[in-house]
Amino acid sequence: MINGKRFGVSLSGGGFRAAVYHLGTLKKLREMGVLDNVDVISTVSGGSITGACYGLYGHDWGKFEAVIQNGVKKDIINKIIFSPRFLIIAGCLLLVLGISFALLLTKHDWLTLIILFLTVFIILRYQFKILPVSKMIAKEYDKLFFDKKSIKDLNTFPWIAINATNLETGRLFTFSQLKMEDSHYEFPPDRGSPILFEHKNFPLTQAVSASAGVPFAFTPVVIPIKYYKNKSDVKRAKPVLVDGGVYDNQGIHKITQLKSAYNCDIIVTSDAENLFKETNLYRNLFHVLMRTSAVFMNRIKDFQMIQHVFENYRYDKREVAYQVMGWDLHYCMRMFMNAVKTGEVMDPVLEAHNITDDDFATKTWEEIQHKIEVNVGFANLLKEGPTEEELAIAREVKINIKALKQEQIDALIKQASSLTELQVRLYCPSLL
């Protein structure tokens, strides 16, 4: 806490790109002397890798940083593709196609349709059992990051809230030192007894795998019956968990819910998303489906940013520093100045920047901006921030779990660090 106010950090999704980017955010908060005051770190998807690792190793910064940097230099995708299980399945499919083609050249060509139909049926019916991608990835996560640790092994402070999307209820399912829960289960609509789970021994790698289980690519994660406090509740609830980014890709929802146990008053949101690029290249329905999903997620992000940044002064009135990888320092300053001009910055924040009523009366915006830039050390931030080349490298990193190069890691950390410092100094001056 800081001055009696709860301090939360949210870490977005974005694969290994997000894991490294958020390392830069936490590193800067540490340098600014405020990381030890964080009460809650709320995470989704790739951000859950960083959050869970901080929960395990945060007391030893050197180890924490080394685990993240070393882990993201390994290629999990290729590990899965070239695994014996994947190769055997691919070989079987090729064999089926070969036999089907050969039968077309015989008098038994009618068997081809039956074979293909059965193959498609088996794949659709038993896909998650034949190729449990999430379990395979969880195994790799455990080797690289978590070393067979469970939720009980997380440090007691801060709380690490790892969020997944529960397809059964359409809400977030959260794993933390406090509990693992979905509010729909805690407060059932039928007013029955709460459905509770034994969270302490739940494997950390499975929690992160659920949070990062991208739909269409990974298999959903289910909660084994042994983790139900009341085993009979498995008849009432069967969570089916996928990527937390489907519901909230910034991880901010859990720490802004007024009745949530994780609700915070001061928030820093680290978003590893790039700028939403225009495109009109759609070769098939899969491209359309993926683009549609991206539009949905971008819309949710825009709504949350409007709610917690631009409309914040009207309703929640929290100090919220929101930064996005695709931005640059000049854009952040312009956005803040626009908010100042339109009266969307809270009075305590303006006072911290020494902006007076006389400044507003004269509307000398250039002088006001100069005063703010001096107050936050903007010139120095520009000097220490990423170069155009480094910014380009950071923005070119794709969202996946393929190996990153050191220059990519360094560029992502530098970009996150510079944006975090500026946005915290602009929007959350009470932290300093």
Side-chain angles (χ1 to χ4, degrees), residues 374-403:
V374 170
N375 191 52
V376 301
F378 189 64
N380 192 55
L381 289 175
L382 288 175
K383 189 184 302 182
E384 295 180 351
T387 64
E388 289 296 324
E389 181 182 0
E390 289 171 327
L391 187 55
I393 291 172
R395 288 176 173 172
E396 287 171 2
V397 178
K398 305 297 183 184
I399 297 178
N400 52 45
I401 47 177
K402 294 178 70 68

Side-chain angles (χ1 to χ4, degrees), residues 96 99-119:
V96 167
I99 292 173
S100 300
F101 180 76
L103 285 172
L104 286 174
L105 306 177
T106 71
K107 62 181 180 179
H108 302 293
D109 55 350
W110 56 275
L111 288 173
T112 298
L113 185 61
I114 296 176
I115 292 173
L116 292 178
F117 175 81
L118 288 174
T119 300

Side-chain angles (χ1 to χ4, degrees), residues 19-36:
V20 173
Y21 186 81
H22 302 319
L23 172 60
T25 297
L26 297 183
K27 185 175 184 178
K28 177 52 66 175
L29 292 176
R30 181 171 181 261
E31 291 173 1
M32 298 175 79
V34 298
L35 185 57
D36 288 343

